Amino acid sequence: TLRRCSSRHSQEIQTGKFSITSLPVHLAVSPAAERLRYILGDDEETMPTPTLFTEMDTLQHEGDELEWRESARWVKFEEKVEEGGERWSKPHVSTLSLHSLFELRTCLQTGTVLLDLEGYSLPQIVDDIIERQIEEGLIGPELRDKISFVLLRKHRHQTKKPIHRSFADLGKSGSGGSECSIFKTVPVSPSIPTHIVHNSRSMNDIAESPSTDQLKNKFMKKIPRDAEASNVLVGEVDFLEKPFVAFVRLSQAATLGGLTEVPVPTRFLFVLLGPLGKAKSYNEIGRAIATLMVDDLFSDVAYKARDREDLIAGIDEFLDEVIVLPPGEWDPKIRIEPPKKIPSADNSEDEVMFCGGLVLDIKRKLPWYPSDFYEGFHIQSISAVLFIYLGCITNAITFGGLLGDATDNYQGVMESFLGTALAGTVFCLFSGQPLIILSSTGPILIFEKLLYEFSKNNGIDYMELRLWIGMHSCVQCIFLVATDASYIIKYMTRFTEEGFSSLISFIFISDAIKKMVGAFKYYPINIDFKPDYVTAYKCECLAPDPSKFILGVEHVGTSLNVTALDWTQLSKKECVKYGGSLVGKSCKYVPDLALMSFILFFGTYTMTVTLKKFKFSRYFPTKLRKLISDFSIFMSIMTFVGLDMLIGLQTPKLIVPTDFKPTRAGRGWFVMPFGKNPWWVYVASSVPALLVTILIFMDQQISAVIVNRKENKLKKGCGYHLDLLWVGVLMVACSFMGLPWYVAATVISIAHIDSLKMESESSAPGEQPQFLGVREQRLTGILVFVLTGVSIFLFIPMPVLYGVFLYMGVASLGGIQFWDRIKLIMMPAKHQPDFSYLRHVPLRRVHLFTLVQIVCLAVLWILKSTFLAIIFPVMILGLMVKEKKKKEDEKKNTKKDKKKGKGGDDSEDVSVLVVRLLKERRRLLGLK
């Protein structure tokens, strides 16, 4: 049994356990590899070959008629017709016998090979094959009609079932596996009547054009549009004494009627007919050639082969790359699951030059600008807008409330809404990376609080001072853009990136949980309630003091006679309105409100997670599963909003300001730069502005690095300098209007990326849908912030939104290696996933590295709860400068080593030599 072998040499190179004497023998170029070098050439200079759909049909006997019946198919992985012939097997990696590959090699050596045959129909191709066999003396002329008759029988595909079949036939027709049951339905001696043979040309059974079943076959969705077919026909007959073998490559792919299950033009045809008694061997040879045809290397060889020997060389190279599993060591009935691909991460680097980065960003993004709008018109964008909108509006209310408390309402919820809408819309319109979502952040909030307290204690006008800080910070950001300071992000390590993103994710999770715990404090569950003492639970409205009656009447300002009121009959609102007081054990009791809030909170989170994973389930068609997954957030929110309305409890709702006016009375929408502070404040404000610039720069660029990760497969490029420029400009605009400052929000931006991920629609059976990238556009962000600006009619329970917050935090942890390593600590080694770093680094060192990260994260968590949280970006900047110096020292050492090497005594580094040898070998084989 064979599988393609994963190279272990790269591991040995990385661990430094490789020497010249230990170079494997097969690194030397074999004759087969040398031949393939000239066949394949350089992959970068040639067009890629089409994807091949391979179908294997076996000769069967249906009543008194012969027919070809589909038994297996391949796009990338093998699918067999299961026992009973009523369904396809689960796609799996093909396992072949070593003997079948050697027999296939012999078949190609001794059989007929026709390359670039001019073929337009199956009868004409069959005639050419038989004629060549007769010319080469492989068969006698008397077999012409019999072979032609067999090869032109009808093809019954899995989509087309027989009209009637006996129970015995149902039990016998099978998958062509190791028992080869598919051949058991063939009679012992399937003789061909003489009168049929003589009239075989007039009795061709093969359809000349694709049938309705072929044209409507839904399997076409799994096959790329430019795909071509290779057909494998194997069977046994009683009139041959030795095998009849032919391998055909057509000069142009042609649709050969009913030959193929799907209406895909055929490029290759492999025929194997042989004497009776060897059905299992023929079946395995057919599976071998079918597996080879979907192999990346051999399919290239098949397309570019010049003669028989080139095909043989392709098989030899295939044999050179496989390993053998000895019999008895495993169960051959086990079907190997298709592998899953894991993307690797890498960060791009920019060159340093004056304003060069900004110019390159503009040149890079300008050609994509029109597509940034029309590519947003997709149903997936609707789900992304709804999801991110709810996250942004909740964040705006949360930070608006906190800013109001910290600044005595100089900035509040209304300013937060307006600033989010204004800054977010402008940024999405003109930034370099519109997938980034702007929001208020914790360090900026703490800075605002400290700045207000400083202004209040020293008699300085807070809004004017803040305006000058914003202007100085804008100038400093523009200076950083002009000097290409974003170049420093190349020194950002995984340690730094993971620490930052983990901290933000944990903040989201903890804040959501804290708010739910607070709900239990405000609306406690009445655990002391005793049904037998319901008579003791009451709440009465008592009349106010008689001395306050007159004040009460004046306050009411109506002709209502307060002294004549029946205070015991008033409602809670009326009692408070007319100055009464509520007395009783049940006055502050709200039944089940905390429990209902928890149900809404946890239910929203759980349902979102479940529906998000629904696209990997086995229920419903693929498109419906994907649609449910895309709209999982919206469906969860609507479900629990409906539940809240159905129950009717007064759960806390999202409160959106409806009056368009500043939160603090007496301040306008425009801040004047002069007149309230001494002149020296305008100059001295550049000092705190420097700290703000560092906060903005680090928050923005770290979030941008996470968004622009290579594994996200963004095709339109990044825009670090352009992003920072607009963040600085928006700081000035927000400062003049007295609005909060905004910077990239890591968790919401990651959620935006995840909601716009695209996957391949036509993936091979068994192949995981390929991640194609992200739907890069500006429309979703613009719509999110426009909706945020006009949000005045919202009645969504806050626990539902807290559940969305919890989901954002948990989901953003999914792509962080640090979180995976934390889970490894409590996991036995035998159950640990096959992570690449576990192959090269001892487990104890992995745990030590993770422990250091946990300690650092704990320190940052403690700092973020104090005023020292504003120095967090400064700490990251210091770490990055340290990493920069370390890398520069490594470069200097490398240069010194190279100079020593030029002296003649020291030889080239062994690992470099091995890498070059491996690259040369891949180049010879035409592999990328």
Side-chain angles (χ1 to χ4, degrees):
T1 305
L2 299 162
R3 291 186 301 171
R4 187 54 75 95
C5 175
S6 60
S7 176
R8 69 177 182 278
H9 307 304
S10 58
Q11 177 181 349
E12 294 170 340
I13 291 169
Q14 293 174 10
T15 54
K17 299 177 181 179
F18 219 113
S19 64
I20 296 293
T21 56
S22 66
L23 286 176
V25 175
H26 73 266
L27 276 180
V29 181
S30 65
E34 183 68 24
R35 190 179 189 93
L36 297 184
R37 171 187 177 182
Y38 297 104
I39 300 172
L40 302 178
D42 190 352
D43 276 353
E44 296 179 359
E45 299 177 359
T46 58
M47 293 294 292
T49 55
T51 300
L52 279 177
F53 166 74
T54 302
E55 175 182 327
M56 187 172 81
D57 293 355
T58 51
L59 188 62
Q60 300 287 299
H61 194 274
E62 183 67 25
D64 295 332
E65 297 290 335
L66 288 175
E67 69 175 13
W68 293 97
R69 189 174 299 163
E70 185 178 13
S71 60
R73 66 186 180 192
W74 290 255
V75 178
K76 280 185 176 293
F77 304 101
E78 181 178 5
E79 292 177 274
K80 295 180 179 179
V81 178
E82 295 283 25
E83 294 289 339
E86 294 298 326
R87 57 174 289 174
W88 287 105
S89 71
K90 188 176 181 180
H92 56 278
V93 178
S94 298
T95 52
L96 309 174
S97 66
L98 184 61
H99 186 64
S100 67
L101 284 170
F102 285 121
E103 285 189 320
L104 172 62
R105 191 178 188 278
T106 303
C107 287
L108 292 180
Q109 282 180 325
T110 59
T112 297
V113 175
L114 295 174
L115 301 179
D116 296 328
L117 177 68
E118 295 291 340
Y120 54 87
S121 67
L122 187 60
Q124 176 253 316
I125 295 172
V126 169
D127 282 344
D128 291 343
I129 295 173
I130 297 174
E131 189 64 34
R132 177 63 67 89
Q133 289 258 349
I134 294 174
E135 291 177 0
E136 295 176 353
L138 298 176
I139 62 171
E142 69 280 1
L143 295 177
R144 179 195 300 269
D145 290 338
K146 291 184 178 181
I147 295 176
S148 179
F149 175 81
V150 171
L151 294 180
L152 295 178
R153 293 305 88 203
K154 65 182 178 183
H155 288 254
R156 188 183 300 280
H157 305 292
Q158 184 59 20
T159 56
K160 188 175 182 181
K161 302 294 189 301
I163 298 176
H164 61 84
R165 299 174 65 185
S166 65
F167 288 104
D169 289 339
L170 287 173
K172 292 176 181 178
S173 62
S175 64
S178 59
E179 294 299 322
C180 220
S181 59
I182 199 162
F183 287 100
K184 293 181 180 179
T185 58
V186 180
V188 176
S189 180
S191 301
I192 303 174
T194 306
H195 70 280
I196 291 180
V197 172
H198 291 316
N199 297 288
S200 63
R201 187 59 56 214
S202 62
M203 296 188 66
N204 291 345
D205 221 353
I206 184 74
E208 296 181 357
S209 59
S211 65
T212 304
D213 291 337
Q214 289 173 280
L215 295 174
K216 293 183 178 180
N217 195 339
K218 295 181 179 180
F219 191 71
M220 278 297 294
K221 297 178 180 179
K222 302 291 184 180
I223 304 174
R225 293 183 179 179
D226 60 345
E228 296 177 348
S230 61
N231 293 91
V232 178
L233 307 178
V234 296
E236 57 179 0
V237 292
D238 63 346
F239 56 81
L240 288 176
E241 296 180 356
K242 60 181 180 179
F244 174 91
V245 182
F247 180 88
V248 179
R249 182 182 70 199
L250 302 179
S251 59
Q252 295 294 330
T255 302
L256 303 180
L259 181 64
T260 311
E261 173 192 353
V262 287
V264 175
T266 296
R267 171 74 73 163
F268 298 96
L269 187 66
F270 179 82
V271 179
L272 171 58
L273 294 176
L276 295 175
K278 295 185 178 180
K280 180 179 179 180
S281 177
Y282 303 152
N283 187 63
E284 291 302 315
I285 294 172
R287 291 182 61 247
I289 185 62
T291 304
L292 279 167
M293 295 305 295
V294 296
D295 177 75
D296 291 336
L297 177 59
F298 187 83
S299 64
D300 286 345
V301 174
Y303 269 98
K304 299 172 184 177
R306 300 160 300 180
D307 52 32
R308 184 196 311 268
E309 295 305 320
D310 290 345
L311 295 173
I312 304 278
I315 294 179
D316 290 342
E317 184 57 34
F318 184 88
L319 285 167
D320 189 47
E321 290 293 326
V322 299
I323 57 175
V324 177
L325 296 178
E329 299 294 329
W330 79 307
D331 186 358
K333 295 181 180 178
I334 295 176
R335 290 171 177 168
I336 303 174
E337 293 287 332
K340 296 181 179 179
K341 294 184 178 180
I342 302 176
S344 60
D346 190 18
N347 293 327
S348 58
E349 299 180 2
D350 293 327
E351 294 296 330
V352 179
M353 62 182 76
F354 187 78
C355 280
L358 179 61
V359 173
L360 289 176
D361 284 349
I362 295 174
K363 289 181 178 180
R364 183 187 302 118
K365 304 302 292 188
L366 198 57
W368 297 104
Y369 199 74
S371 67
D372 284 343
F373 289 93
Y374 64 74
E375 288 183 2
F377 290 95
H378 191 275
I379 192 171
Q380 187 182 18
S381 300
I382 300 176
S383 64
V385 168
L386 294 172
F387 176 31
I388 303 304
Y389 163 66
L390 292 171
C392 284
I393 198 173
T394 308
N395 209 40
I397 288 179
T398 302
F399 276 97
L402 294 174
L403 275 171
D405 295 338
T407 63
D408 198 14
N409 284 332
Y410 274 103
Q411 299 175 71
V413 176
M414 175 55 74
E415 287 79 8
S416 181
F417 263 79
L418 181 59
T420 300
L422 173 65
T425 303
V426 173
F427 185 84
C428 287
L429 275 171
F430 304 111
S431 67
Q433 183 48 270
L435 295 176
I436 291 175
I437 300 296
L438 295 189
S439 177
S440 300
T441 61
I444 295 295
L445 173 64
I446 294 174
F447 179 85
E448 295 274 17
K449 181 178 181 180
L450 295 176
L451 183 64
Y452 178 75
E453 292 176 353
F454 173 81
S455 303
K456 184 178 180 181
N457 295 334
N458 292 276
I460 298 175
D461 186 79
Y462 163 68
M463 298 301 288
E464 188 178 288
L465 173 61
R466 184 177 178 275
L467 169 60
W468 278 93
I469 291 175
M471 290 192 292
H472 281 295
S473 183
C474 175
V475 173
Q476 292 167 2
C477 285
I478 293 174
F479 175 78
L480 292 175
V481 171
T483 56
D484 288 352
S486 296
Y487 178 73
I488 196 174
I489 63 169
K490 68 173 290 186
Y491 299 104
M492 185 177 295
T493 62
R494 179 181 291 274
F495 186 95
T496 305
E497 180 185 329
E498 289 183 346
F500 182 84
S501 55
S502 298
L503 178 65
I504 304 301
S505 300
F506 284 132
I507 288 174
F508 262 66
I509 295 171
S510 65
D511 284 351
I513 296 175
K514 279 182 182 177
K515 293 180 184 300
M516 280 309 305
V517 172
F520 279 81
K521 292 181 179 178
Y522 285 111
Y523 310 107
I525 297 177
N526 192 1
I527 58 177
D528 296 327
F529 177 78
K530 297 180 177 59
D532 194 38
Y533 295 95
V534 291
T535 54
Y537 292 94
K538 61 181 179 177
C539 181
E540 295 181 349
C541 179
L542 298 182
D545 231 349
S547 61
K548 298 180 181 179
F549 272 146
I550 298 177
L551 295 176
V553 172
E554 291 176 353
H555 177 70
V556 172
T558 64
S559 59
L560 180 66
N561 189 357
V562 178
T563 56
L565 289 176
D566 185 359
W567 292 90
T568 60
Q569 300 299 318
L570 294 181
S571 66
K572 177 181 177 181
K573 290 183 179 179
E574 291 173 338
C575 181
V576 175
K577 179 179 179 181
Y578 300 135
S581 57
L582 298 169
V583 179
K585 292 184 178 180
S586 62
C587 290
K588 296 182 179 180
Y589 170 59
V590 181
D592 303 325
L593 205 58
L595 182 60
M596 185 63 189
S597 297
F598 178 78
I599 292 173
L600 297 177
F601 165 74
F602 192 71
T604 302
Y605 168 76
T606 305
M607 184 175 178
T608 301
V609 172
T610 303
L611 293 182
K612 201 68 179 177
K613 297 178 180 178
F614 194 76
K615 62 182 177 182
F616 302 112
S617 71
R618 296 182 174 91
Y619 305 103
F620 304 118
T622 304
K623 286 187 176 180
L624 181 58
R625 293 201 308 265
K626 190 176 185 304
L627 194 65
I628 292 174
S629 177
D630 289 340
F631 283 85
S632 57
I633 304 288
F634 179 73
M635 293 172 66
S636 301
I637 291 174
M638 290 298 100
T639 298
F640 286 95
V641 168
L643 177 63
D644 178 72
M645 295 176 63
L646 182 65
I647 300 299
L649 290 176
Q650 297 299 315
T651 53
K653 299 295 191 296
L654 178 66
I655 301 175
V656 180
T658 56
D659 297 331
F660 186 72
K661 61 181 181 179
T663 305
R664 184 183 177 91
R667 63 150 286 195
W669 284 117
F670 189 79
V671 179
M672 300 302 295
F674 302 103
K676 295 184 178 180
N677 290 329
W679 66 268
W680 58 267
V681 174
Y682 309 144
V683 179
S685 57
S686 61
V687 177
L690 181 61
L691 179 59
V692 174
T693 302
I694 296 175
L695 292 176
I696 294 292
F697 178 82
M698 297 308 300
D699 270 359
Q700 176 67 36
Q701 302 299 47
I702 292 176
S703 299
V705 167
I706 295 173
V707 168
N708 291 307
R709 283 173 175 168
K710 188 175 181 180
E711 61 242 43
N712 288 333
K713 294 185 178 181
L714 302 181
K715 298 178 180 178
K716 297 183 179 180
C718 54
Y720 295 102
H721 310 86
L722 187 57
D723 291 345
L724 185 60
L725 174 67
W726 278 107
V727 168
V729 172
L730 288 170
M731 281 191 68
V732 172
C734 291
S735 298
F736 270 104
M737 296 184 66
L739 304 177
W741 294 324
Y742 294 94
V743 72
T746 307
V747 171
I748 301 181
S749 298
I750 293 174
H752 193 205
I753 289 281
D754 290 339
S755 64
L756 291 170
K757 286 184 175 180
M758 300 182 294
E759 294 179 340
S760 58
E761 295 182 359
S762 58
S763 56
E767 181 186 22
Q768 295 293 328
Q770 297 296 311
F771 171 57
L772 303 178
V774 179
R775 200 172 301 280
E776 300 177 64
Q777 36 71 49
R778 300 177 185 270
L779 205 58
T780 54
I782 294 172
L783 289 176
V784 163
F785 292 113
V786 169
L787 287 174
T788 301
V790 297
S791 299
I792 57 175
F793 301 110
L794 289 180
F795 300 97
I796 301 177
M798 290 303 295
V800 172
L801 296 180
Y802 298 153
V804 175
F805 254 47
L806 178 63
Y807 171 76
M808 282 185 175
V810 174
S812 62
L813 287 175
I816 301 176
Q817 189 195 95
F818 171 55
W819 183 243
D820 293 333
R821 285 188 274 107
I822 288 179
K823 292 186 288 186
L824 288 178
I825 296 176
M826 304 298 294
M827 195 180 298
K830 64 180 180 179
H831 296 303
Q832 292 174 355
D834 187 22
F835 295 131
S836 59
Y837 52 84
L838 292 179
R839 299 182 180 183
H840 309 297
V841 183
L843 187 59
R844 63 181 182 277
R845 289 187 177 271
V846 173
H847 290 336
L848 178 62
F849 182 76
T850 306
L851 183 61
V852 172
Q853 279 189 295
I854 292 175
V855 172
C856 293
L857 187 63
V859 172
L860 293 175
W861 184 269
I862 295 172
L863 290 178
K864 74 100 182 174
S865 303
T866 67
F867 72 94
L868 294 176
I870 59 176
I871 69 172
F872 168 58
V874 181
M875 297 169 60
I876 294 180
L877 180 61
L879 180 62
M880 291 173 61
V881 171
K882 181 180 177 182
E883 291 293 333
K884 176 180 179 181
K885 185 178 184 304
K886 181 179 178 182
K887 289 192 175 183
E888 289 177 349
D889 291 341
E890 290 177 354
K891 289 182 179 179
K892 290 180 181 179
N893 294 333
T894 304
K895 291 181 179 178
K896 290 180 181 179
D897 293 340
K898 288 183 177 179
K899 290 180 179 179
K900 289 181 181 180
K902 291 179 180 179
D905 294 334
D906 297 333
S907 60
E908 187 179 19
D909 185 75
V910 174
S911 63
V912 176
L913 175 61
V914 174
V915 170
R916 288 186 176 181
L917 287 172
L918 289 174
K919 287 183 177 179
E920 176 64 15
R921 180 173 182 272
R922 292 191 182 97
R923 188 184 69 80
L924 293 177
L925 298 180
L927 295 175
K928 292 184 179 179

